[in-house]
Amino acid sequence: MKNKEIYSRALKLAVPMMIQNGITNMVGLIDNLMVGSLGTEAVTAVSIIGQLIFVFNLAVFGGLSGPGIYTAQFFGQGNKEGVKSAFRMKLLIGIFCIVAGLSAFIFGGEGLISLYLSGESADIDKVLTMNRALEYLTVMLFTLLPFVITQIYATTLRETGDSLKPMIAGICSVVIDIVFNYLLIYGKLGLPALGVRGAAIATLLARIVEMLVIVVWSHVKRNKHEFLQGVYRTLLVPKELAGKIIRKSLPIFLNEFLWAGGIAALTQRYSTRGLEIVAGINISNAICNLLNVVFVAMGSAVGILIGQTLGASQYEKAKKDSFSLMWFTGGICLILTAALIGISGVFPTFYDTTETVRDYGRMFIIITALFFPVQGFLNALYFTLRSGGKTLVTFLFDSVYSWAVTIPVAYFLCEFTSLDIFLIYAIVQSLDFIKILIGFILVKKGVWISNLVENKD
């Protein structure tokens, strides 16, 4: 019965997150499918920019996760001023991320794109792909601000027990994206046919609507969300608390940034075997990212629930619940594996590209799907370790492992062997079993158990 209770609490928190994050990823999927009708160069260009924006998005997620640990524990403790301070830290971190992201893309965008165009292809025009990518990136830069603001509010609302508003905001976002993708990509209702630029504009409009819905609605209901009452009277955070949050946040920020950068680096490595591989991975990611929101949301729910339990000083319960939720998440992902394999042969046919690219997409979907249960279990492990503030441990466990092990292995296999790209992809995925073993030992030992807000007013 107790396990059923924690499963129910996790799903109650995670399902709205799944829907909201799924809707957010649906924006990318719709872009992919509609842009897919414009040809392989357009698909490849959007894929490359998607990889770069993904690094920014994960950096934002990592930067906000540090204060988020404190938000969950302050909320579990009933400390309203603590929640406000954590929210203000998110605002300051968000401003930093926007400035850094814009600087990187404006001054280094073309150089970053060119890294993915080093492979050879008889069917893909590199110059045209570069032009399409720059065209798409120029508009996507304007999405950074609304995305960051939305994440600041959405994460805080979830950490204080409200997943509904982010979900509704996401639904509004995807409706706007679908409508304007159709109108602006193809030039309907008298509007110009803008191609990839139209897809980017539609995404921008969707992000703005999502931001407005969640911000306005939250402030209208500020009697319920007490952390918003007077939160903007100052951006100052108590020095001692700010120092603690930064110390906890920095490893998470670096972890998410380096981990996302590692994913981008892996794709770049794979691209050296041919530009078609980039397009194939893009097709796979478009559908797989839509379903991986399940284990990502479950991981976030694990972090919030275990964090709240730690904040209430219920340490044995936190440890027991963490194991229950790990196995539960892994089990759910088995269903996702079957679903992805079932549609792997159909989904790539929606793209107007070569048969080779479709075959790549189909095989990458199948391989990724087979490792979904591994990723689900691993996410729950990761968020359990992080819930107690052991951010240095998760930094070593996640991104350092990626750059020290995963990427060198991928580089060696791509550069110095003649192994099939699908076998290389599967070998790289299988390296996560080592992380599961290490993470399971750490969780079992309880090294992560810590109450960060004990004795705070």
Side-chain angles (χ1 to χ4, degrees):
M1 290 299 294
K2 290 183 179 179
N3 281 352
K4 289 183 179 179
E5 179 187 352
I6 193 62
Y7 297 158
S8 177
R9 289 179 62 202
L11 288 174
K12 184 177 179 180
L13 189 59
V15 168
M17 282 193 277
M18 292 176 195
I19 295 172
Q20 195 269 329
N21 290 337
I23 288 168
T24 298
N25 286 350
M26 181 69 76
V27 172
L29 176 59
I30 293 166
D31 282 356
N32 257 280
L33 289 174
M34 293 192 180
V35 169
S37 66
L38 302 177
T40 306
E41 285 83 4
V43 172
T44 306
V46 171
S47 173
I48 292 170
I49 300 306
Q51 287 285 334
L52 300 178
I53 295 291
F54 176 72
V55 176
F56 172 82
N57 290 349
L58 264 290
V60 171
F61 176 75
L64 300 183
S65 293
I69 294 172
Y70 282 84
T71 303
Q73 292 204 12
F74 276 134
F75 184 74
Q77 186 190 47
N79 188 334
K80 298 175 185 177
E81 287 303 314
V83 175
K84 286 185 181 181
S85 293
F87 181 84
R88 290 174 181 134
M89 282 299 299
K90 289 184 180 183
L91 290 170
L92 296 173
I93 291 170
I95 292 170
F96 169 80
C97 289
I98 291 169
V99 173
L102 288 173
S103 299
F105 289 132
I106 291 172
F107 297 109
E110 187 170 350
L112 291 171
I113 294 168
S114 66
L115 293 175
Y116 292 84
L117 301 178
S118 57
E120 297 300 324
S121 173
D123 301 317
I124 300 178
D125 186 330
K126 290 186 180 182
V127 175
L128 181 59
T129 302
M130 172 64 80
N131 291 337
R132 292 287 182 268
L134 291 173
E135 186 180 4
Y136 189 73
L137 176 62
T138 300
V139 179
M140 288 297 291
L141 292 179
F142 293 95
T143 69
L144 304 191
L145 175 61
F147 174 81
V148 169
I149 294 174
T150 297
Q151 292 308 306
I152 290 170
Y153 275 79
T155 55
T156 306
L157 289 172
R158 291 177 189 138
E159 289 148 6
T160 55
D162 185 358
S163 295
L164 181 63
K165 289 182 181 66
M167 182 187 74
I168 299 298
I171 291 173
C172 295
S173 172
V174 77
V175 170
I176 294 296
D177 190 69
I178 290 172
V179 171
F180 282 94
N181 260 308
Y182 177 72
L183 295 177
L184 294 175
I185 291 177
Y186 304 120
K188 302 297 182 179
L189 297 182
L191 294 173
L194 299 177
V196 295
R197 186 186 304 165
I201 293 172
T203 300
L204 173 59
L205 293 173
R207 294 286 188 234
I208 291 172
V209 168
E210 184 179 24
M211 175 190 69
L212 291 176
V213 170
I214 198 169
V215 171
V216 173
W217 192 4
S218 297
H219 281 275
V220 168
K221 296 291 185 179
R222 62 182 175 275
N223 287 336
K224 176 182 177 182
H225 306 298
E226 298 181 34
F227 70 90
L228 289 174
Q229 296 174 11
V231 72
Y232 287 108
R233 289 174 185 166
T234 180
L235 286 181
L236 297 178
V237 178
K239 186 176 180 180
E240 182 180 357
L241 177 61
K244 289 181 178 179
I245 291 178
I246 290 172
R247 285 194 293 274
K248 294 297 180 185
S249 298
L250 190 58
I252 303 179
F253 171 80
L254 291 174
N255 179 67
E256 298 296 339
F257 176 76
L258 291 173
W259 182 82
I263 297 297
L266 281 175
T267 303
Q268 190 277 328
R269 277 291 91 202
Y270 298 142
S271 74
T272 61
R273 290 295 188 95
L275 290 181
E276 289 88 355
I277 291 174
V278 178
I281 290 176
N282 173 68
I283 292 173
S284 172
N285 287 345
I287 188 62
C288 292
N289 288 346
L290 187 63
L291 294 185
N292 73 16
V293 298
V294 173
F295 62 73
V296 171
M298 283 299 298
S300 296
V302 170
I304 292 170
L305 291 174
I306 302 302
Q308 290 176 353
T309 305
L310 292 175
S313 300
Q314 298 175 347
Y315 304 129
E316 285 304 314
K317 176 175 170 54
K319 189 172 183 179
K320 183 178 180 181
D321 287 347
S322 67
F323 280 107
S324 297
L325 290 170
M326 284 177 212
W327 291 110
F328 184 57
T329 304
I332 290 174
C333 289
L334 286 173
I335 301 172
L336 302 180
T337 295
L340 275 172
I341 292 176
I343 64 175
S344 62
V346 177
F347 184 75
T349 63
F350 296 147
Y351 289 80
D352 181 17
T353 185
T354 65
E355 196 59 38
T356 299
V357 171
R358 292 195 190 101
D359 287 340
Y360 276 128
R362 178 176 58 83
M363 287 302 300
F364 285 132
I365 290 172
I366 292 173
I367 296 169
T368 303
L370 291 173
F371 286 92
F372 255 46
V374 175
Q375 293 303 318
F377 197 91
L378 196 56
N379 259 263
L381 276 172
Y382 173 81
F383 280 95
T384 296
L385 290 170
R386 207 177 72 181
S387 66
K390 302 302 181 183
T391 54
L392 182 58
V393 173
T394 55
F395 175 59
L396 297 171
F397 175 76
D398 206 16
S399 63
V400 170
Y401 179 88
S402 294
W403 284 93
V405 178
T406 306
I407 295 172
V409 169
Y411 176 83
F412 175 82
L413 294 176
C414 289
E415 196 75 16
F416 300 108
T417 75
S418 58
L419 292 177
D420 184 84
I421 186 62
F422 303 123
L423 180 57
I424 293 174
Y425 192 76
I427 291 172
V428 171
Q429 295 285 319
S430 68
L431 294 174
D432 282 338
F433 282 110
I434 299 173
K435 290 170 63 176
I436 283 184
L437 177 62
I438 296 171
F440 191 83
I441 292 172
L442 291 174
V443 171
K444 192 172 181 62
K445 286 186 175 182
V447 299
W448 52 279
I449 296 176
S450 176
N451 186 339
L452 302 175
V453 298
E454 195 170 17
N455 298 324
K456 298 291 182 183
D457 294 328

